[in-house]
Amino acid sequence: MAADHTGDVVPPSLSAKVVGSFAYLTVRDRLPTILTKVVDTIHRNKNKFFEEYGEEGIRAEKQTISLLSKLRNELQTDKPIIALTDGLDDADPWNRYLQRQQWQHGNQEVVSWFKSPWLYVECYMYRRIREAISLNPPISGYDVFNEGKTQSFFESQQAIMTLCTYFEGFNKKREDVSENELQEYFNKLLHVCLWGNKCDLSISAGMDNSQKISPIDSLVALQTFILVDDSDAVWSTLFSARQQKKAGKNISSRVDFVLDNAGFELVTDLALADFLMSSGLAQEVHFHGKSFPWFVSDVTAEDFHWTIRQTMVANHRWMSQRGAQWQQYVKEGVWSYHDHPFWTQPNEFCDMAADAADLYATLQAADLVLFKGDLNYRKLAGDRDWDHTVAFDTALRGFGPAPLCSLRTLKANIQVGLQPGQGSKLSSQDPDWMTSGKYAVIQFYRPNTDQQDSPQNQ
Ligand code: F6P
Ligand code: MG
């Protein structure tokens, strides 16, 4: 246990300083590999930059690669983390965060790639990629991960069509489905949305399950890999609001999605959001994404709108119909995309109320917030070395703007809220259970509304 910057005594942050840990292997092996791929992508696009910007484009390409190579060298030789110099809007909070880290480390240790919290240095790497590109106009708006994201969408076509066809089954009879049937549709779409996070490419285009097994049909077999399944609590939260509305109360439910990856996962998010709207479980949906390319496949505004457009123009009746409906929701303003710099900062979410009070207040107006994916889970639970039996709300450390649920497949060695013995049993059966993406959780938390300061509760 150690005191954090607020003085709370909490388990230590996961860090590459634990040699052999998943954090260590990530910083040693996976992050440099990602940087190498980024360099390759920029180099491969040299001709495109030349065609678009002439010699200036070539100069920018060379200069960006040189900054990225320097970054990779700093990482691999465990150099101190340095302040950002690009002067972009979020540079100050990033630099203040570095000072906070330096202060916490005291004088004993420098803040460096292998000695500092993994969550911090991994986020910092993506912010430095942004810096390298942004310092080099005319290519400063280039999304180096775009190719992978669009490819992943196209490789998911079969799975997307299957999902949209399933949706049409609901659409046809939505006026007269029973409550049980409605809950069954909800559960399926919630679970597809969960497994969408497993690895979009593996669900959509993997050797085993892409064209042959539909994302709906595979749900039964996957159920056994869900370690915590609070679907019923999520359902009750949404359904009780709908019942109140039916009883004539002027209630409008808003569900917020804190998005994760583009590609198939984003389509599963949109399908679930569509279902919530079509069934009257929500009247408004806010999607929160990233304001710059992040963790390889995370959704930006560009990805969000591109995905809707591509779905709309698909040569498949039910798919294009869903895309048109999504576009309509956006046009009417009942669906909206939001980005906030906090989502691309390294903070644990328990910092949000103090460090991004405006965002916290925005989330407080939601009736439910769905947090997609592994990185969001790490930030919810602070990326700390918690015992597996610690309750989810303990790990949230006061973060609870609204009822919230994490839909996450496990890709990092942090997991709370398990039964006594469940973690050790999994470790003996399957040593990689926390990092393989094979297991998942649907973990719900309802804050005590008496303590809430929400405008809707006043
Ligand atoms: O595989 C680990 C990792 O790169 C983590 O660093 C990160 O938490 C996660 O993958 C990203 O996954 P997701 O897209 O589900 O947030
Ligand atoms: Mg991601």
Side-chain angles (χ1 to χ4, degrees):
M1 293 283 184
D4 76 348
H5 66 279
T6 64
D8 282 2
V9 177
V10 279
S13 301
L14 300 176
S15 167
K17 70 179 159 203
V18 180
V19 176
S21 66
F22 188 66
Y24 171 81
L25 297 174
T26 298
V27 177
R28 192 193 67 178
D29 302 331
R30 284 193 311 114
L31 299 189
T33 305
I34 289 169
L35 280 175
T36 302
K37 284 196 180 143
V38 167
V39 167
D40 286 351
T41 305
I42 292 176
H43 188 60
R44 245 190 314 105
N45 281 280
K46 194 175 169 177
N47 291 342
K48 172 180 131 83
F49 298 142
F50 181 70
E51 279 158 26
E52 283 177 29
Y53 311 111
E55 284 305 325
E56 268 298 281
I58 298 290
R59 190 208 51 77
E61 177 256 354
K62 279 205 175 64
Q63 189 57 28
T64 307
I65 289 179
S66 141
L67 290 176
L68 291 167
S69 305
K70 177 175 171 290
L71 172 63
R72 188 174 47 199
N73 180 269
E74 286 171 31
L75 187 162
Q76 289 182 307
T77 55
D78 194 22
K79 290 282 184 307
I81 301 293
I82 54 175
L84 297 170
T85 59
D86 55 23
L88 295 178
D89 285 352
D90 63 343
D92 278 351
W94 268 97
N95 290 341
R96 279 199 299 277
Y97 200 89
L98 171 59
Q99 282 166 5
R100 192 193 271 181
Q101 289 294 318
Q102 284 164 336
W103 173 78
Q104 264 179 270
H105 277 252
N107 291 327
Q108 299 106 38
E109 257 176 6
V110 287
V111 177
S112 71
W113 292 88
F114 282 78
K115 295 188 192 75
S116 297
W118 169 33
L119 177 63
Y120 172 49
V121 298
E122 192 169 18
C123 292
Y124 174 78
M125 183 186 87
Y126 289 94
R127 183 57 183 81
R128 283 282 302 273
I129 294 173
R130 183 193 192 199
E131 180 178 63
I133 297 174
S134 73
L135 283 174
N136 285 292
I139 67 164
S140 46
Y142 181 64
D143 180 350
V144 72
F145 300 122
N146 182 260
E147 289 174 9
K149 289 186 278 192
T150 54
Q151 189 186 345
S152 132
F153 176 86
F154 288 124
E155 286 176 352
S156 311
Q157 292 294 294
Q158 192 59 45
I160 296 173
M161 289 174 200
T162 308
L163 183 57
C164 293
T165 306
Y166 175 77
F167 197 106
E168 178 53 22
F170 160 72
N171 215 16
K172 268 203 194 85
K173 57 177 191 179
R174 69 176 175 186
E175 296 307 329
D176 40 39
V177 284
S178 67
E179 185 188 321
N180 282 347
E181 280 176 304
L182 195 68
Q183 186 174 1
E184 202 175 306
Y185 277 115
F186 167 77
N187 269 330
K188 289 212 166 121
L189 289 167
L190 184 77
H191 283 77
V192 168
C193 185
L194 166 71
W195 290 112
N197 178 247
K198 181 176 182 157
C199 173
D200 36 0
L201 291 174
S202 83
I203 285 195
S204 61
M207 298 295 281
D208 298 322
N209 64 358
S210 59
Q211 275 80 10
K212 295 177 224 89
I213 301 173
S214 96
I216 305 287
D217 293 345
S218 54
L219 292 178
V220 175
L222 288 170
Q223 185 63 39
T224 157
F225 298 105
I226 303 183
L227 305 177
V228 178
D229 189 346
D230 291 336
S231 313
D232 287 351
V234 182
W235 167 256
S236 309
T237 301
L238 292 164
F239 194 68
S240 66
R242 185 178 111 135
Q243 291 307 86
Q244 290 185 53
K245 192 175 167 60
K246 274 200 163 167
K249 299 222 174 105
N250 188 17
I251 286 184
S252 170
S253 291
R254 191 183 105 195
V255 176
D256 284 25
F257 283 70
V258 182
L259 297 170
D260 187 3
N261 302 306
F264 184 64
E265 179 168 3
L266 175 58
V267 174
T268 66
D269 300 332
L270 297 168
L272 177 61
D274 191 356
F275 173 79
L276 298 179
M277 300 288 294
S278 313
S279 59
L281 290 162
Q283 283 69 48
E284 206 187 332
V285 177
H286 284 200
F287 296 94
H288 301 271
K290 309 301 189 294
S291 49
F292 63 86
W294 183 252
F295 276 73
V296 186
S297 49
D298 281 19
V299 178
T300 61
E302 172 74 10
D303 302 325
F304 180 81
H305 295 293
W306 180 89
T307 302
I308 292 180
R309 283 198 304 276
Q310 287 301 320
T311 308
M312 204 168 66
V313 300
N315 189 16
H316 180 273
R317 187 174 172 196
W318 306 128
M319 190 171 157
S320 64
Q321 197 174 88
R322 286 332 323 137
Q325 178 63 70
W326 301 345
Q327 186 79 305
Q328 185 63 22
Y329 288 140
V330 173
K331 216 168 135 199
E332 287 166 9
V334 287
W335 277 14
S336 49
Y337 180 89
H338 305 260
D339 45 32
H340 188 288
F342 189 79
W343 301 124
T344 43
Q345 280 166 15
N347 303 65
E348 310 171 39
F349 289 159
C350 65
D351 291 343
M352 191 191 287
D355 290 350
D358 58 332
L359 179 60
Y360 195 83
T362 301
L363 296 184
Q364 280 184 312
D367 296 276
L368 174 70
V369 186
L370 297 173
F371 286 90
K372 290 300 310 288
D374 192 67
L375 180 63
N376 278 325
Y377 191 85
R378 290 172 61 193
K379 289 183 165 190
L380 283 166
D383 214 36
R384 294 176 178 278
D385 192 16
W386 295 105
D387 189 281
H388 298 311
T389 56
V390 159
F392 187 37
D393 60 336
T394 305
L396 289 170
R397 297 176 62 215
F399 178 73
L404 62 87
C405 182
S406 164
L407 300 171
R408 173 239 185 175
T409 61
L410 281 63
K411 298 176 219 159
N413 54 334
I414 168 167
Q415 183 57 54
V416 296
L418 298 187
Q419 298 301 316
Q422 199 179 357
S424 45
K425 191 168 164 207
L426 283 159
S427 297
S428 64
Q429 285 170 349
D430 191 347
D432 293 334
W433 66 279
M434 275 190 286
T435 54
S436 60
K438 184 169 154 192
Y439 294 87
V441 290
I442 298 178
Q443 228 162 355
F444 178 79
Y445 168 67
R446 173 185 295 284
N448 182 348
T449 39
D450 298 341
Q451 292 163 7
Q452 285 270 298
D453 207 14
S454 156
Q456 67 187 352
N457 294 319
Q458 285 167 3

